[in-house]
Amino acid sequence: MVNLNGATLLAFILLISLLTASNANDSTAEEAFVKKTISQHDIVIFSKSYCPYCRRSKAVFKELNKVPYVIELDQRDDGFDVQNALSRIIGRRTVPQVFINGKHIGGSDDTVDAYENGTLVKLLGITSEDEL
């Protein structure tokens, strides 16, 4: 067992407090980034460039002639933190995560299902004249 004197213990507690406060501020900044991004773009995909499920989701929007705003988490220095913030906001850490008009659609399977059952077309406001 380590025996710490009062000054050492106080310094240790102060250090832990500073680290915890720093992490809390960082997570708040990342959550703010996620929320701001979702609110500023009609279609947002949080993705990883190498992920086949992410490519599948992006292909759905290409099929609909819509260009999503894509955040490639693996190409960002803060990608890990953004992914953690996304997890805290929506309860999922996996990618892709798709948002339309601020509404969380879900992952790849959810996006493909919404495309196939017509929900995605409705959410995007695409009329039959607009399609392909």
Side-chain angles (χ1 to χ4, degrees):
M1 177 126 203
V2 176
N3 189 7
L4 300 176
N5 66 30
T8 305
L9 182 58
L10 183 60
F12 180 73
I13 291 171
L14 180 60
L15 178 63
I16 296 298
S17 296
L18 288 173
L19 290 173
T20 304
S22 174
N23 289 340
N25 290 338
D26 291 345
S27 68
T28 302
E30 301 303 342
E31 288 176 21
F33 167 76
V34 169
K35 291 174 182 178
K36 182 178 179 183
T37 301
I38 293 165
S39 71
Q40 290 182 334
H41 302 280
D42 294 336
I43 306 166
V44 178
I45 302 175
F46 289 89
S47 172
K48 290 189 177 174
S49 60
Y50 57 83
C51 170
Y53 299 103
C54 297
R55 285 195 291 269
R56 189 170 94 169
S57 291
K58 290 180 264 190
V60 166
F61 292 99
K62 186 173 184 174
E63 183 72 25
L64 293 170
N65 296 317
K66 295 291 182 180
V67 179
Y69 186 79
V70 179
I71 310 296
E72 296 292 4
L73 297 171
D74 62 311
Q75 296 176 356
R76 295 177 57 99
D77 290 339
D78 64 349
F80 184 82
D81 295 327
V82 171
Q83 192 168 2
N84 284 337
L86 196 58
S87 175
R88 286 189 299 276
I89 292 168
I90 63 168
R92 292 184 182 179
R93 194 173 191 290
T94 58
V95 291
Q97 291 304 322
V98 179
F99 296 82
I100 298 177
N101 299 321
K103 180 181 185 219
H104 180 235
I105 301 306
S108 178
D109 289 343
D110 303 312
T111 303
V112 170
D113 289 347
Y115 172 65
E116 290 174 350
N117 70 27
T119 303
L120 200 55
V121 170
K122 290 176 188 171
L123 287 171
L124 293 168
I126 298 173
T127 62
S128 59
E129 297 150 6
D130 295 336
E131 285 187 78
L132 305 174

